Amino acid sequence: MAWLLAVLLTWTTATTSPAAAREEPAAPTAAVDASKPSTPEALLERGLDLERRRNWSGAMEAYRGGMEQWPSRTDFRRRLRLCELHFKLGKRYHDASFRTVLLKLPRQQASELYAEVLERIQSFYVDAVPLEPLLRHGLDNLEVALRDPTFLKLNATTTDPGRIAWVREQLKAMRGQLAVADRNAALALATRASETARHGLGIETTPVLLEFTYGACDALDDFTSYLTPDKLEDLYAMIDGNFVGLGVELKGATEGLKLVGVIRGGPAWDAGLVAGDQIVKIAGQAVKGLALDDAANRLQGTEGTSVDLEVLKRDATLHTVRLVRRHVDVESVTRAKMVDEARGIGYVQLAGFQKSSTDEMDQAVSGLVDLGMRTLVLDLRGNPGGLLNVAVDIADRFIDSGVIVSTRGRAAGQSQVFQAGGRARWKMPMYVLVDRDSASASEILAGALQDHKRAVIVGDRTYGKGSVQSIFSLHSAPAGLKLTTAKFYSPLDRAYSERGVSPDMPVQTRVAAKPAADADPDKDSVDESTLGDPRFDLVLAAAIRASQAESQAQAVAR
């Protein structure tokens, strides 16, 4: 049996990999026109044009906008789902460990992998799930793969349109008669689909069964996923808070790779690179025209090796830098300072919940107390979450007694109630800053402090991710499964899923500690130097004013 290795709550791409890649299309694409179509027909035409250019992320963005503007148009949702399948397929085939490890699995091992993933889902997923939707999604994945040039080039011995059409007709018939009693029947149907693909197009069993494996995971929720060896390694790096690399987070851009984030103290940070800069050449080769994962892979390497980069700065000047890959520690506490010394107001920005976060918080708060802090402002904006036990430990520092969070799931050990230890270490008044990018473990901490009336929550409603993902190692292949195994609830038994934490003091302005996955750092967030500065940070300023007003009210009462 595979062991349950860790429990985490996170909803964004890991930012701690050597060169973490944000969303990218399956093939190089042109920038998307930012103007909004005035009619649903115009938007649909734009989306279809982006699809024809295989710009899946651009098409997804267009259809999401259409769903918000014209919610009655169900065709936008259908097109969005199709683009998501193409997008995920492209990501798989741009993952080097998928191509070099998983695609080379023998037939028997690929069968065992699919069976093991189905067993984990049936045994541990938060809700009981019939097998038919999992198989249906696998058939959908395979249907999309048969339209994908990369999949066909790597796996098929012929791309004759007539033979592809024949295979698709056979799969359509299977989908129309879908009924399975157990995992053996599910495996038999997936095997029959693979035999059809082999007979029609010369495709081996393993690529087909991998599509069924991914389909089973993708059918469940947005947070469950099958993890390739590289993705599993990146996830553990995020949990540990350290890795070997350059310390950058990337997304595709018109001229190359745009830096979404630069990790403090890493090689890129030391070289003066900042969010918004673009890498246009790697080791003398232009980045423009490369798929994002391919370009990001060129930045990775072993400790001590170097890479030369040509960087287009935000002021349009070109700089050449040589970075040496080395060990990088990712800080959870990214800022800790006094923001009002006269009134004793301190500020701590917490960017994630990893193994070191509790110790970092203790050091930051202790240091500010030594400087005279009497009120703490804790900034959780842009914090995507992390480890559940770390969120509980930090909450325990501020709450005397009672429930911090409860989890509920089907499997043994997934339904638990986490209690405060009985003696809070820190008792000063608190204000907690949140926004729509505060998710998961951030919501556990903010919700617990709010329910216990231990802090005033300031900002915007949080993301609303109320589920626990558990990480399983798999015996059948060198990879892992991130599976939703429970949902979590506040001390007052409020569900967080799709609801989040509503602020006590609403301040609707976007000042995120870290941009969301599809955010443009030039447009959607302020310059990092302004975070924690009450002259520019409106949410922080509101919290400081509230603290000052409370202090004045207490003085009058005395």
Side-chain angles (χ1 to χ4, degrees):
M1 175 180 177
W3 291 96
L4 179 63
L5 296 180
V7 178
L8 66 157
L9 305 100
T10 181
W11 66 280
T12 63
T13 305
T15 62
T16 56
S17 61
R22 289 290 190 176
E23 286 189 357
E24 86 282 2
T29 57
V32 179
D33 183 4
S35 61
K36 289 186 177 181
S38 57
T39 66
E41 290 74 21
L43 187 139
L44 180 61
E45 182 53 40
R46 168 183 287 183
L48 293 173
D49 179 61
L50 290 166
E51 288 187 49
R52 286 189 287 269
R53 291 187 277 147
R54 308 191 68 77
N55 185 347
W56 307 118
S57 58
M60 287 157 55
E61 180 182 349
Y63 293 137
R64 287 189 186 114
M67 289 165 56
E68 291 181 4
Q69 196 167 359
W70 298 286
S72 63
R73 289 292 296 255
T74 58
D75 50 345
F76 292 153
R77 187 174 301 278
R78 290 196 303 271
R79 301 309 305 180
L80 173 62
R81 181 172 182 273
L82 179 63
C83 291
E84 288 173 341
L85 294 181
H86 278 286
F87 178 78
K88 291 177 180 179
L89 178 70
K91 287 187 70 67
R92 284 197 285 282
Y93 275 81
H94 279 109
D95 186 317
S97 63
F98 176 86
R99 297 192 308 269
T100 60
V101 178
L102 298 180
L103 272 182
K104 296 185 182 301
L105 292 177
R107 170 177 177 164
Q108 181 60 33
Q109 196 172 353
S111 298
E112 292 171 356
L113 171 62
Y114 182 50
E116 185 177 5
V117 167
L118 291 181
E119 188 276 328
R120 290 290 172 266
I121 291 172
Q122 287 193 308
S123 299
F124 293 98
Y125 189 64
V126 61
D127 298 315
V129 180
L131 290 168
E132 284 83 2
L134 311 187
L135 283 163
R136 190 174 296 112
H137 212 103
L139 288 167
D140 291 346
N141 274 12
L142 185 54
E143 162 71 19
V144 165
L146 294 177
R147 299 172 181 264
D148 185 82
T150 301
F151 178 89
L152 293 172
K153 181 179 179 180
L154 287 177
N155 300 311
T157 59
T158 176
T159 57
D160 176 72
R163 299 182 73 84
I164 292 175
W166 178 83
V167 173
R168 291 175 58 201
E169 282 300 317
Q170 300 303 307
L171 297 177
K172 183 178 179 181
M174 291 183 198
R175 200 180 193 280
Q177 302 173 359
L178 201 58
V180 290
D182 53 31
R183 288 197 301 273
N184 288 333
L187 181 58
L189 187 143
T191 301
R192 184 153 60 93
S194 70
E195 291 171 350
T196 300
R198 181 176 58 82
H199 179 71
L201 299 168
I203 300 174
E204 295 294 333
T205 299
T206 294
V208 175
L209 290 183
L210 286 174
E211 291 308 310
F212 276 88
T213 300
Y214 277 91
C217 298
D218 294 342
L220 298 173
D221 58 63
D222 291 337
F223 309 108
T224 291
S225 61
Y226 178 74
L227 302 169
T228 66
D230 283 354
K231 296 302 182 188
L232 184 62
E233 183 179 346
D234 287 349
L235 186 55
Y236 285 141
M238 183 188 71
I239 292 171
D240 291 336
N242 60 74
F243 59 88
V244 171
L246 304 179
V248 294
E249 185 179 12
L250 309 167
K251 68 178 288 185
T254 305
E255 297 301 322
L257 299 176
K258 178 171 283 189
L259 303 189
V260 176
V262 179
I263 296 174
R264 186 186 304 271
W269 173 278
D270 292 344
L273 303 187
V274 298
D277 290 347
Q278 293 188 54
I279 298 172
V280 295
K281 286 187 179 180
I282 301 173
Q285 181 175 353
V287 175
K288 188 175 182 179
L290 293 177
L292 179 56
D293 276 356
D294 287 343
N297 288 339
R298 295 169 189 254
L299 297 177
Q300 300 183 14
T302 57
E303 186 172 9
T305 59
S306 63
V307 61
D308 292 328
L309 306 178
E310 188 171 299
V311 179
L312 179 65
K313 301 291 287 183
R314 297 177 70 171
D315 61 4
T317 60
L318 283 172
H319 293 253
T320 300
V321 296
R322 173 168 292 179
L323 303 183
V324 178
R325 301 175 180 94
R326 60 175 169 81
H327 186 86
V328 178
D329 289 317
V330 183
E331 297 176 340
S332 294
V333 174
T334 51
R335 287 177 176 81
K337 62 180 182 179
M338 297 295 294
V339 291
D340 188 333
E341 293 184 1
R343 294 180 174 82
I345 302 174
Y347 169 86
V348 173
Q349 183 185 63
L350 185 66
F353 293 80
Q354 59 196 38
K355 289 181 179 180
S356 62
S357 300
T358 304
D359 288 340
E360 289 184 49
M361 275 292 296
D362 285 342
Q363 293 172 14
V365 175
S366 294
L368 291 176
V369 168
D370 291 342
L371 293 176
M373 180 178 71
R374 300 186 298 277
T375 297
L376 170 64
V377 178
L378 177 60
D379 193 348
L380 299 179
R381 290 171 296 173
N383 185 324
L387 296 170
L388 183 150
N389 63 299
V390 173
V392 171
D393 288 345
I394 293 176
D396 188 46
R397 297 296 199 269
F398 299 99
I399 296 172
D400 278 320
S401 60
V403 173
I404 292 175
V405 65
S406 60
T407 63
R408 298 171 197 163
R410 289 192 305 126
Q414 292 297 326
S415 296
Q416 301 184 60
V417 177
F418 296 87
Q419 302 266 0
R423 185 177 180 181
R425 180 174 180 177
W426 308 113
K427 298 180 180 293
M428 72 281 291
M430 289 183 68
Y431 293 81
V432 177
L433 313 185
V434 296
D435 67 4
R436 64 177 183 258
D437 293 336
S438 305
S440 196
S442 291
E443 295 172 295
I444 288 177
L445 177 56
L449 294 171
Q450 184 181 59
D451 278 7
H452 284 280
K453 301 188 183 303
R454 183 62 185 82
V456 177
I457 310 301
V458 184
D460 205 348
R461 186 175 72 87
T462 62
Y463 181 80
K465 180 192 175 295
S467 60
V468 179
Q469 282 67 50
S470 300
I471 311 305
F472 296 86
S473 63
L474 300 174
H475 284 312
S476 52
L481 174 64
K482 179 159 70 83
L483 183 67
T484 299
T485 54
K487 294 181 180 179
F488 56 86
Y489 301 82
S490 79
L492 297 180
D493 207 35
R494 293 182 297 167
Y496 290 104
S497 289
E498 300 181 4
R499 301 179 185 177
V501 177
S502 296
D504 302 305
M505 290 178 51
V507 182
Q508 295 184 348
T509 181
R510 184 178 177 85
V511 185
K514 180 175 62 180
D518 56 354
D520 184 335
D522 295 331
K523 297 179 180 179
D524 293 346
S525 62
V526 297
D527 187 274
E528 283 198 3
S529 63
T530 67
L531 291 174
D533 187 337
R535 296 174 300 171
F536 308 104
D537 189 335
L538 301 182
V539 182
L540 173 59
I544 292 174
R545 288 195 300 271
S547 175
Q548 294 168 347
E550 179 65 20
S551 297
Q552 292 170 358
Q554 291 178 357
V556 170
R558 289 195 296 268

